[in-house]
C-alpha cells in the first residue's frame, strides 16, 4: 500500500493524499489537538461533522494519565475516545522540553518529574514508541530533543545529532506494522544543520518527515523564512509535517512552502479565551461593543455557531463563563481552520493557488492594520 501520493503541485504547494490503515487523509491538512484524548470542548462526531479525518494525541500526557496500559486494555485510544478516524501521536519530546527545570537529559533518554504530582518518570526512544504502539496510534513520531531558541551553532548541532541517534533508535523500536513512522528534523535556526538532519532521516526510511523545533520563541519572520527554505529540501515523495504551527498566516505560508500537515492548539485555546477567527479578521467577543450586537459572528461563515447565535449571545455566554461558550466558539474556530484548508486544497486542484494565496494574505494583512 502506497502511504503518500502527491496528486498535483502549484509551485511548492502540494495537493496529496496520505493513506493510513483507517482511511485516506487529504492534504494539506490541519489536525486538531486532542492532547489528553479529547479536543477540548468538542465531541468526536462534531469533529467529523466539520470534516476532520485526523487528530493529534500526546504520548507524555496519556502516559501519565490514565496510562497507556489502561487505554490498551480498553481497546486503544480510538475506542477509548470514540474516534474512528486516524490519530497521530506526538512522541512527548516537546512536552519534556517544556519541563526544563524538572528534567535530566542523558544519551539514554530523559528523567523528569510528573507535572501532576512530582513522581519520577523516564522517557526514551524505546519507551516513547512502546507507549505510542500501546495507544494504537496510526502515525507515530520519533522521540527527539526540541532544540531551544536561541542556541549557538555548537548547541544546535549537539542537540540535532542526539535527536538523530534517538530517531534511529525510535525507528528500530517500531513494532507496529500497520502504523506510519515520522522522523523529526532538528537543527535550530541553522539551515545547514537542518539539511544534515533531513539527510540522516532519509537513511532511516521514514514514512514522513516533520519539522520540529519551530515556533519555540524565535521571531515570526525567522520561522517563516526557515519553513520557506526547508520545504523544498524535504523529500518530494513523503508527507511534510510542520509541528505545533500555527496561525492562518502560518498555514498559508507553510502550504506555499510545500508543507502538507499542521497541528496547533491555537483555534481551541483562543476560542476558550474569547478570540475568534473570521473572514473580517479576529474578533474579541468579550468587548463591550458586542453587548447588543444582533449580527452573527461572521456573516460569511456557514457553521452552526454563526448560523444560530448572535454576537450578543456569544458575548453573554463568555462573560458569564458558561460551558456552552467554549463549545460554540471552539466549533467556530475549528470550522474556520478546516474551511481555510479546504479552500487551499481546492485552489491547488483548480490551478488558482497563487491567486488564492495572495487574496488570503492580503485579507489577513488588512484585518491586522
Amino acid at each position: 500500500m502506497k502511504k503518500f501520493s502527491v496528486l498535483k503541485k502549484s509551485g511548492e504547494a502540494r495537493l496529496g493524499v496520505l493513506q493510513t490503515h483507517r482511511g485516506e487523509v487529504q492534504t494539506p491538512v490541519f489536525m486538531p489537538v486532542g492532547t489528553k484524548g479529547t479536543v477540548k470542548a468538542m465531541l468526536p462526531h462534531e469533529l467529523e461533522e466539520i470534516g476532520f479525518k485526523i487528530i493529534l494525541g500526546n504520548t507524555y500526557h496519556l502516559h501519565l494519565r490514565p496510562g497507556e496500559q489502561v487505554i490498551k486494555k480498553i481497546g486503544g485510544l480510538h475506542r477509548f475516545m470514540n474516534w474512528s478516524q486516524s490519530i497521530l501521536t506526538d512522541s512527548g519530546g516537546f512536552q519534556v522540553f517544556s519541563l526544563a527545570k524538572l528534567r535530566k537529559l542523558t544519551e539514554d533518554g530523559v528523567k523528569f518529574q510528573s507535572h501532576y504530582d512530582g513522581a519520577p518518570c523516564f522517557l526514551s526512544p524505546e519507551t516513547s514508541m512502546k507507549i505510542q504502539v500501546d495507544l494504537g496510534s496510526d502515525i507515530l513520531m520519533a522521540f527527539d530533543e526540541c532544540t531551544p531558541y536561541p542556541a549557538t551553532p555548537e548547541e544546535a548541532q549537539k542537540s540535532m545529532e542526539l535527536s538523530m541517534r534517538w530517531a534511529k533508535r525510535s525507528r528500530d523500536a517500531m513494532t507496529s506494522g500497520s502504523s506510519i513512522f515520522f522522523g523529526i528534523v532538528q537543527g535550530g535556526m541553522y539551515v545547514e544543520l537542518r539539511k544534515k538532519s533531513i539527510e540522516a532521516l532519509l537513511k532511516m526510511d521514514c514514512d514522513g518527515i516533520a519539522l520540529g523545533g519551530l515556533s519555540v520563541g524565535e521571531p515570526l519572520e525567522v520561522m517563516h523564512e526557515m519553513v520557506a527554505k526547508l520545504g523544498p529540501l524535504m523529500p518530494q515523495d513523503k508527507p511534510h509535517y510542520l509541528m505545533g504551527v500555527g496561525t492562518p498566516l502560518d498555514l498559508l505560508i507553510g502550504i506555499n512552502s510545500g508543507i502538507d500537515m499542521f497541528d496547533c492548539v491555537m483555534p481551541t485555546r483562543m476560542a476558550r479565551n474569547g478570540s475568534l477567527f473570521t473572514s473580517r479578521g479576529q474578533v474579541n467577543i468579550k468587548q463591550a461593543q458586542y453587548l447588543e450586537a444582533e449580527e452573527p459572528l461572521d456573516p460569511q461563515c456557514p457553521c452552526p455557531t454563526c448560523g444560530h447565535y448572535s454576537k450578543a449571545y456569544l458575548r453573554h455566554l463568555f462573560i458569564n463563563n458558561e460551558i456552552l461558550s467554549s463549545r460554540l466558539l471552539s466549533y467556530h474556530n475549528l470550522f474556520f481552520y478546516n474551511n481555510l484548508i479546504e479552500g487551499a486544497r481546492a485552489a491547488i486542484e483548480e490551478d488558482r493557488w497563487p491567486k488564492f494565496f495572495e487574496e488570503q494574505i492580503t485579507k489577513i494583512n488588512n484585518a491586522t492594520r
Side-chain angles (χ1 to χ4, degrees), residues 89-101:
T89 43
D90 191 359
S91 66
F94 180 81
Q95 283 68 35
V96 171
F97 157 80
S98 67
L99 297 171
K101 295 180 181 178

Side-chain angles (χ1 to χ4, degrees), residues 220 224 247-257 278-281 336 340 344 352-369:
L220 186 63
H224 288 165
T247 66
L249 177 63
D250 296 334
L251 268 59
L252 290 164
I253 289 176
I255 293 170
N256 201 51
S257 303
T278 78
S279 60
R280 299 174 179 177
F336 180 93
L340 178 65
R352 51 183 180 84
W353 167 253
K355 181 180 180 182
F356 178 87
F357 177 72
E358 291 300 328
E359 287 175 348
Q360 295 298 319
I361 295 294
T362 299
K363 187 182 293 186
I364 290 170
N365 289 337
N366 288 341
T368 55
R369 285 175 185 167

Side-chain angles (χ1 to χ4, degrees), residues 19-314:
Q19 181 74 49
T20 78
H21 74 288
R22 290 185 181 271
E24 290 185 351
V25 176
Q26 305 296 320
T27 64
V29 64
F30 178 82
M31 300 177 285
V33 176
T35 301
K36 301 176 184 179
T38 172
V39 177
K40 291 186 187 300
M42 298 292 294
L43 291 168
H45 79 263
E46 291 173 327
L47 297 170
E48 290 193 72
E49 183 179 276
I50 291 172
F52 293 110
K53 300 292 185 182
I54 182 170
I55 62 172
L56 201 83
N58 185 262
T59 296
Y60 166 84
H61 288 283
L62 293 170
H63 171 60
L64 294 182
R65 290 183 179 176
E68 65 276 10
Q69 290 307 314
V70 171
I71 294 174
K72 182 180 180 180
K73 186 175 181 180
I74 290 174
L77 185 56
H78 296 81
R79 185 176 177 187
F80 188 58
M81 64 178 293
N82 191 33
W83 174 253
S84 62
Q85 306 289 343
S86 298
I87 294 176
L88 179 150
T89 43
D90 191 359
S91 66
F94 180 81
Q95 283 68 35
V96 171
F97 157 80
S98 67
L99 297 171
K101 295 180 181 178
L102 301 173
R103 70 174 190 177
K104 181 181 179 181
L105 188 148
T106 67
E107 184 69 34
D108 288 339
V110 184
K111 294 180 180 178
F112 60 96
Q113 293 174 260
S114 166
H115 71 283
Y116 291 119
D117 56 12
C121 303
F122 177 73
L123 273 181
S124 68
E126 291 78 14
T127 58
S128 173
M129 296 303 289
K130 184 179 186 306
I131 294 166
Q132 293 182 73
V133 170
D134 286 345
L135 292 173
S137 175
D138 303 295
I139 302 177
L140 287 67
M141 302 301 298
F143 188 66
D144 65 328
E145 184 196 13
C146 184
T147 307
Y149 178 87
T152 65
E154 293 75 21
E155 291 168 338
Q157 180 172 346
K158 181 180 178 181
S159 175
M160 181 273 287
E161 290 175 347
L162 176 63
S163 284
M164 295 308 97
R165 293 193 295 274
W166 281 359
K168 178 64 166 59
R169 285 167 56 190
S170 296
R171 186 57 165 151
D172 291 344
M174 175 84 169
T175 59
S176 174
S178 61
S179 299
I180 294 171
F181 176 80
F182 274 50
I184 303 176
V185 178
Q186 291 290 353
M189 302 301 143
Y190 303 98
V191 174
E192 288 305 314
L193 291 179
R194 294 277 184 170
K195 286 182 181 178
K196 290 180 180 179
S197 183
I198 292 170
E199 292 167 0
L201 292 174
L202 288 178
K203 294 177 182 177
M204 300 176 202
D205 192 30
C206 301
D207 300 308
I209 304 290
L211 294 179
L214 293 173
S215 194
V216 291
E218 75 277 9
L220 186 63
E221 59 272 16
V222 172
M223 190 263 281
H224 288 165
E225 181 181 349
M226 184 63 65
V227 172
K229 289 179 178 178
L230 295 179
L233 300 178
M234 297 168 77
Q236 294 302 298
D237 62 340
K238 298 182 187 296
H240 308 160
Y241 170 24
L242 179 55
M243 303 181 72
V245 177
T247 66
L249 177 63
D250 296 334
L251 268 59
L252 290 164
I253 289 176
I255 293 170
N256 201 51
S257 303
I259 301 299
D260 307 298
M261 303 170 66
F262 305 85
D263 81 277
C264 193
V265 298
M266 183 167 287
T268 47
R269 178 175 289 171
M270 290 187 70
R272 296 193 305 277
N273 289 316
S275 186
L276 293 313
F277 296 96
T278 78
S279 60
R280 299 174 179 177
Q282 283 182 231
V283 168
N284 187 339
I285 200 65
K286 63 186 173 187
Q287 292 181 348
Q289 63 178 301
Y290 303 125
L291 176 63
E292 299 178 354
E294 295 183 30
E295 71 271 11
L297 177 62
D298 185 348
Q300 297 182 27
C301 178
C303 83
T305 300
C306 294
H308 298 295
Y309 304 100
S310 67
K311 284 181 180 176
Y313 182 65
L314 296 176

